[in-house]
Structure formats: structure tokens, C-alpha cells
Amino acid sequence: MSKTLPNGFLWGNSVSSMQTEGAWNEGGKGMSVYDIREPSEFASDWKVATDSYHRYQEDFDLMQDLGMNCYRFQISWSRVCPQGDGEFNDEGIAFYDRFIDDLLARGIEPMICLYHFDMPLALAEQYNGFADRRVQDAFVRYGKKMIDCFGSRVKYWLTFNEQNIYHMPGAFQVGGYLQGEKTLRELYQIQHHVMMAHVLLTHYLHATQPGKLMGGMLAHQLVYPATCKPRDVFCATQYDEFLNQNLLRVYAGQGYSPEVLAVVEREGFRDIYRDEDLAEIARVKNDFMAFSYYASKTLDSDAIAPGTPVNYFLQQGDKANPYLEATEWGWQIDPLGFRAIITRYYNDWRLPVFPIENGIGVIEEWDGVNPIEDDYRIAYHRDHIQAMQDAIFEDGAQVLGYLGWGLIDILSSQGDMRKRYGVVYVNRENHDLKDLKRVPKKSYRWLQQLIRSNGRDM
């Protein structure tokens, strides 16, 4: 049964700048790697997105009407520092000044994420992104500037969206890597440089902005063994250690996983992990554990070739779970997995837990008149919020809030506007911008009622 959540519980929305802002060549913004991506049949370009650069106040009014009191957004690195390093852009900084003030004026707590995959193009072209330590240094300089500018008004901070992606094959796409052989060594370089940037900025926030909170964030990889066969179980456990626990251990003050460091030594990567780096990592501790969660996965060890690095297991061994329903995108809906993650985080680390992305992407069409009847979205969020409440009230977890992903429709992570997550429809398609009108769906009123009751009225 649903219960009323504590006063101060944070209900809100998460987005990234390249999926929302548009205005790719306005306000002194520099180019990012997304600005040169070509559209395709099922992917828009990124030049307009949902035009929140010009329309964000309309979106904030909708969030306020919903009762949301938290908004996690990303600062566009190339909007405030056009080349990624060098001169800062006063016009870009002034935009986020107004943006934050307009949130606070509506009683909405801002949460800043400093990086969500949109590497400044100049750094990607010159250094191949986070594969080069100089990009780590440039990011730290940028992050310190943002903390200096906004730290007095912003309580909640994240460095990287879904930081464990930088230890997966997807690291090359999201880390600004433009050319090369995508070697395992380079993957470990990207992972470590990103972690060092996170660690150094965590230290800086704590030193300069007492009382402000830095979180570590994963795209949590909840992976079940396909069977009870010992090798299935062992491979799923290894994958969890490399892609989840390794980062969580750092966030909680334990340093890198011994199992991961054993691979570093065996592969000859130890020179990447400088002694002074490990000393900085040893003294870091985050203030909360954040994660995104949409679906669980299942791992079949028979499909994994001998000698495959753990980081690549899921590429080979991903298998459909016959006990779960899936979306049209093949993402398997698993609310109990959501509860399991929250409960384990708090059991293991004793730090407040904050699920900051959760939602269901569905192809939807609006008839131009009637609200979209998205009962499937109501069911998805209801079941996941109930699972979160079970983790709180039955399992004893401490949870700061619940942020849905893209609760006003945005481009998907692949640029596909067909994949809609919102309780508000945005009237555009991949290659037809239409009028970008915001139209509440049926789920909007349901979520409004839920938030007003602070989780009691499902």
C-alpha cells in the first residue's frame, strides 16, 4: 500500500542540454560533437531539439503546475566555454544564471549535471576527447568555473551523466573519441580520466561550497544470470563488479575494486593510474548515490567468447528474459529490479539514494485535439514508484527523491523523436518541427495528483 513520503521529498524531471536546448549556434555557443551529426531516417539533427533555450519558461510553468520541486539539467560545456578550454562565454553563463533564478522563483530545486555526452568539438578534434588527460584537465577547469558561478544557489551537483558508460564500449561515442582503434587500453584511459575529473571536482565543491552535495551517478546495470548455471552466475557477478560496484566503491570512499585493478596490472595499464591519482581517489566520498534505471538485462555466458574483457560481456551475452514484458524497443519492464537496486545501495553504502532517471519510451502520435491516453505510462511509473516506496517503508532505504526521465518529450539519446518519455507531448517529429506545442497527456493529471499527495494517491 502506498504511504505518504516525507516532507521535502524531491519530485522532478531530468533532461540533457543537447536533447532539449537547441539554439546550437546562438548566444556565443561553440560547436559540440552533436552539432555535426547527420540526421537519418529515424534520427533528427540536434539543432533545435525541443527549443528549450527559447521556451524553457513555458516548460518550467508546466513543471510548477505538476508540483515538481526539483529539476536536473545539464550545462552545455560548449555554450559556456566555446572551445572547451580557453575563454569563457559571458552570454552563455548569463543564460544559466537566468535559468537557475527562474527555477528558484517557482520553488524548483536545481540540480546541475556538468556533462551529458556533448564534448566540445574542438577538444574532440584536437585530443580525441577523454582519452587524453588534457581533456580531463580542461573539464576540471570548466567544472570549477561553474561551481564558482552557481554553487551558492545550487545544492545538488553531478559531474557526469551515467558515469559507468565510460567503462563500456559506449565510452568511445559519449567521451568525444573521434578516431582510432577503440582499444581496451583507451577504454581504461577514458574511464580513469573521467573518474579523476569527478574526484577533483568533488573535492573542489566540498572545499569551496560547504553544505552543497555531490552525487555519483550510474546507468545501473541490473543483470540477471540467464540460468542458475554457475558460469552464468559468475559472469553476471563479474559484470556487476566492473560496471556498477567499481564506481560505487569509489563514491563510497573505498577506491577502485581490487578485481578491476587486478585486470589493470595484468593488462599493463598501471601507468594510466598514477600514484597521485589513487591518493586523490582514496580520500573522496560522495554525498548521495544517484542512478538511472529503465530496464533489467539477462546474461547468457554461453554466448561470451573465451578471453572477452568483462566490459564487453553484455554485448555478446545479452538475452531476453522470458519472465518480463518488454517495450517496443526491447527494454524489459522490471519494477522489482528498481526496488532491489535502491535497497542494495542503501544496505551496502549507507548513503542517501537518489533515482534520477526512470521512465518508459513509447511511439506516440497526437491527433491534434485530444490528450494522448497513455495508461501504459501511468502503469510504468505507478509500479516503479510503488517499488521505491517498498524499498523505503519495507526495506529501510533512505531516498532523497524521484526524478522521471524527460517528462516533457525530448529527443531520445539516439536523436529519435519517436521514442517519447513525457507526460507532456511536444508537437514535432524527427524531420518536421511543426509548432513545438506542449500538450499534456493523460499521465500528466495522474502525476500531478500523485505529487500533490506526496506519493500517497497512486
Side-chain angles (χ1 to χ4, degrees):
M1 179 179 293
S2 300
K3 297 183 179 180
T4 304
L5 292 158
N7 291 332
F9 191 84
L10 296 171
W11 295 97
N13 190 14
S14 285
V15 299
S16 76
S17 64
M18 87 279 189
Q19 292 168 275
T20 56
E21 277 184 10
W24 69 285
N25 61 352
E26 297 182 46
K29 181 184 176 298
M31 296 278 280
S32 87
V33 293
Y34 278 83
D35 295 327
I36 62 170
R37 289 194 180 177
E38 296 291 334
S40 63
E41 181 182 4
F42 296 123
S44 169
D45 64 29
W46 301 83
K47 291 179 168 54
V48 175
T50 56
D51 196 32
S52 71
Y53 184 84
H54 300 107
R55 306 176 70 132
Y56 74 80
Q57 294 207 37
E58 180 182 356
D59 294 340
F60 288 180
D61 288 343
L62 286 164
M63 287 187 270
Q64 184 181 29
D65 182 60
L66 273 165
M68 290 181 177
N69 58 0
C70 186
Y71 185 52
R72 173 212 162 195
F73 66 95
Q74 176 224 345
I75 291 174
S76 167
W77 186 355
S78 58
R79 188 174 295 285
V80 298
C81 188
Q83 300 302 305
D85 206 4
E87 293 296 318
F88 285 95
N89 173 29
D90 291 339
E91 190 174 353
I93 292 172
F95 168 74
Y96 291 111
D97 257 323
R98 297 190 299 273
F99 194 92
I100 290 166
D101 284 346
D102 287 341
L103 281 171
L104 293 171
R106 291 167 173 79
I108 300 172
E109 186 87 53
M111 174 191 284
I112 286 178
C113 177
L114 292 170
Y115 186 78
H116 196 129
F117 311 156
D118 59 340
M119 174 71 61
L121 182 61
L123 294 181
E125 291 180 336
Q126 187 171 2
Y127 300 119
N128 223 18
F130 280 111
D132 194 303
R133 187 176 280 263
R134 286 170 290 190
V135 175
Q136 168 198 309
D137 296 339
F139 182 80
V140 170
R141 176 176 176 268
Y142 146 69
K144 287 180 176 179
K145 177 71 170 179
M146 296 303 98
I147 290 170
D148 292 343
C149 289
F150 309 127
S152 64
R153 285 171 289 162
V154 176
K155 180 177 181 179
Y156 296 97
W157 290 79
L158 298 169
T159 50
F160 293 93
N161 177 70
E162 299 180 326
Q163 192 176 332
N164 54 340
I165 291 180
Y166 300 93
H167 215 181
M168 303 178 195
F172 297 105
Q173 180 176 3
V174 304
Y177 184 100
L178 295 185
Q179 57 185 347
E181 298 180 4
K182 300 182 180 179
T183 66
L184 187 64
R185 179 182 178 84
E186 289 174 312
L187 181 62
Y188 274 75
Q189 285 175 325
I190 293 169
Q191 178 273 323
H192 180 62
H193 295 157
V194 166
M195 179 57 82
M196 282 306 303
H198 169 80
V199 165
L200 294 171
L201 287 172
T202 300
H203 291 328
Y204 187 77
L205 181 72
H206 288 162
T208 63
Q209 301 289 341
K212 303 306 165 66
L213 306 180
M214 181 67 83
M217 183 198 176
L218 304 186
H220 191 92
Q221 302 293 288
L222 182 61
V223 176
Y224 301 124
T227 71
C228 57
K229 182 170 58 181
R231 189 166 185 268
D232 282 354
V233 176
F234 181 73
C235 287
T237 302
Q238 275 193 305
Y239 191 79
D240 175 59
E241 186 63 33
F242 275 67
L243 278 305
N244 296 319
Q245 305 308 318
N246 183 45
L247 278 78
L248 294 171
R249 294 185 196 286
V250 174
Y251 299 155
Q254 294 184 356
Y256 284 131
S257 164
E259 189 175 355
V260 174
L261 290 178
V263 170
V264 167
E265 293 287 352
R266 186 166 67 247
E267 295 289 342
F269 300 160
R270 181 62 174 82
D271 59 300
I272 299 169
Y273 296 71
R274 299 175 182 176
D275 290 341
E276 59 268 30
D277 293 351
L278 297 180
E280 292 286 355
I281 287 172
R283 66 183 188 90
V284 78
K285 189 165 185 178
N286 287 126
D287 302 298
F288 60 94
M289 296 292 202
F291 68 95
S292 64
Y293 176 80
Y294 300 90
S296 59
K297 297 281 190 177
T298 302
L299 190 66
D300 176 8
S301 66
D302 288 344
I304 301 172
T308 299
V310 176
N311 315 68
Y312 296 84
F313 276 6
L314 200 59
Q315 274 196 325
Q316 298 181 13
D318 189 12
K319 183 177 182 178
N321 188 330
Y323 301 102
L324 296 174
E325 294 183 2
T327 70
E328 56 208 297
W329 307 95
W331 292 25
Q332 298 200 273
I333 300 169
D334 183 9
L336 187 59
F338 191 49
R339 174 180 175 178
I341 295 169
I342 294 169
T343 299
R344 185 178 177 191
Y345 272 34
Y346 197 66
N347 282 347
D348 286 355
W349 311 114
R350 305 296 201 278
L351 289 171
V353 184
F354 204 161
I356 60 173
E357 287 185 29
N358 179 237
I360 182 171
V362 179
I363 294 176
E364 295 170 323
E365 294 182 2
W366 179 47
D367 64 8
V369 180
N370 300 298
I372 291 172
E373 298 279 332
D374 57 339
D375 293 289
Y376 42 83
R377 181 168 290 108
I378 294 171
Y380 181 96
H381 283 288
R382 181 193 64 228
D383 292 349
H384 283 77
I385 291 168
Q386 183 63 64
M388 176 187 69
Q389 292 199 18
D390 291 343
I392 295 168
F393 295 113
E394 296 187 25
D395 304 339
Q398 181 185 347
V399 178
L400 293 175
Y402 174 89
L403 306 187
W405 174 252
L407 291 176
I408 297 173
D409 283 348
I410 61 178
L411 290 177
S412 78
S413 59
Q414 303 306 312
D416 192 347
M417 197 66 202
R418 297 177 307 152
K419 191 177 186 183
R420 296 177 179 272
Y421 286 89
V423 300
V424 176
Y425 186 88
V426 175
N427 191 34
R428 65 154 291 181
E429 297 174 358
N430 277 328
H431 308 299
D432 182 356
L433 293 177
K434 297 188 174 180
D435 60 4
L436 294 165
K437 182 178 180 179
R438 275 63 166 156
V439 185
K441 305 173 189 177
K442 181 179 180 180
S443 57
Y444 181 95
R445 296 302 172 197
W446 173 84
L447 183 60
Q448 183 183 60
Q449 181 174 315
L450 176 73
I451 292 174
R452 286 177 177 174
S453 70
N454 208 19
R456 185 186 65 255
D457 190 353
M458 291 282 192

